[in-house]
Amino acid sequence: MNWETMQIYLGLGDTKMHWVVRVFLVVLSTLIANFIATRILTRIDKQLEKTKTPWDNVLIHAAQKPIGVFIWLAGVTIAAEISGTEIDSKFSSLIHSIREVGVVIILTWFVLRCISESEKTLTNSSKITANVDYTTASAISKLLRASVVITSALVVLQTLGFSISGYWLSAVLVGSR
């Protein structure tokens, strides 16, 4: 490989950086961002173990995996958009829909993890003086999880272009009987 070819790929001089190099840099940046976020959240979690309140730990435990997946979703979809504009221009709208649905799924996953961590904390945490009955906490968390999943499914359908206004109306009418 000669210097002129390297200039084209790296975008040196008056040329634009080659799309393969841009995709590589985006994926490398995503890997580094995920590594840094994991380290920071682990360090914060260790510091929060020393506090008296358990609720900060609930949020950090619930957020650790979804944040990593969110970083990868963002990085991969940006890399796919870069390569998609070079390969097929219609590919960009598909990537946009995948990103939107992915964000909804990741937020749902985070909320479900918050509910599960809260249930564990309420039923058997040494930091809470009056623990809640396991059956009550389990029933409430199952109801919350079901409502979050149903709402998320409706949001995903709306994001994909389906009209869900009829579903909302029928749910309200059936629920009011």
Side-chain angles (χ1 to χ4, degrees):
M1 188 178 275
N2 59 18
W3 177 245
E4 287 78 25
T5 309
M6 290 286 291
Q7 282 181 327
I8 293 171
Y9 277 97
L10 297 177
L12 300 174
D14 293 337
T15 61
K16 196 170 130 182
M17 187 181 294
H18 196 269
W19 68 272
V20 174
V21 176
R22 288 186 292 168
V23 167
F24 173 76
L25 290 175
V26 167
V27 172
L28 180 65
S29 301
T30 302
L31 180 68
I32 292 169
N34 187 38
F35 177 77
I36 291 171
T38 303
R39 292 289 179 149
I40 289 172
L41 287 174
T42 303
R43 210 171 262 186
I44 290 172
D45 186 37
K46 286 181 183 177
Q47 290 297 320
L48 292 178
E49 288 291 331
K50 300 173 186 174
T51 63
K52 293 179 182 177
T53 178
W55 302 111
D56 46 11
N57 297 92
V58 167
L59 287 175
I60 292 297
H61 284 282
Q64 281 178 333
K65 290 182 182 177
I67 284 178
V69 173
F70 176 76
I71 290 170
W72 277 105
L73 174 72
V76 168
T77 55
I78 290 170
E81 279 182 346
I82 291 170
S83 64
T85 56
E86 298 295 326
I87 297 171
D88 185 13
S89 60
K90 295 178 184 177
F91 191 61
S92 182
S93 64
L94 176 65
I95 298 297
H96 184 69
S97 296
I98 290 172
R99 182 183 298 136
E100 286 180 347
V101 170
V103 167
V104 171
I105 290 171
I106 290 170
L107 286 173
T108 302
W109 185 27
F110 169 70
V111 172
L112 292 175
R113 286 176 58 94
C114 279
I115 293 169
S116 296
E117 290 289 329
S118 297
E119 178 186 2
K120 287 181 203 172
T121 300
L122 286 172
T123 56
N124 54 6
S125 176
S126 60
K127 293 183 179 181
I128 294 181
T129 55
N131 289 341
V132 177
D133 179 43
Y134 177 77
T135 307
T136 305
S138 176
I140 291 172
S141 70
K142 286 178 184 176
L143 287 171
L144 285 173
R145 278 188 230 136
S147 64
V148 166
V149 168
I150 290 169
T151 304
S152 298
L154 292 173
V155 169
V156 166
L157 288 173
Q158 183 76 31
T159 302
L160 293 176
F162 296 100
S163 176
I164 61 165
S165 58
Y167 297 116
W168 284 107
L169 184 59
S170 65
V172 169
L173 292 177
V174 170
S176 65
R177 290 183 186 180

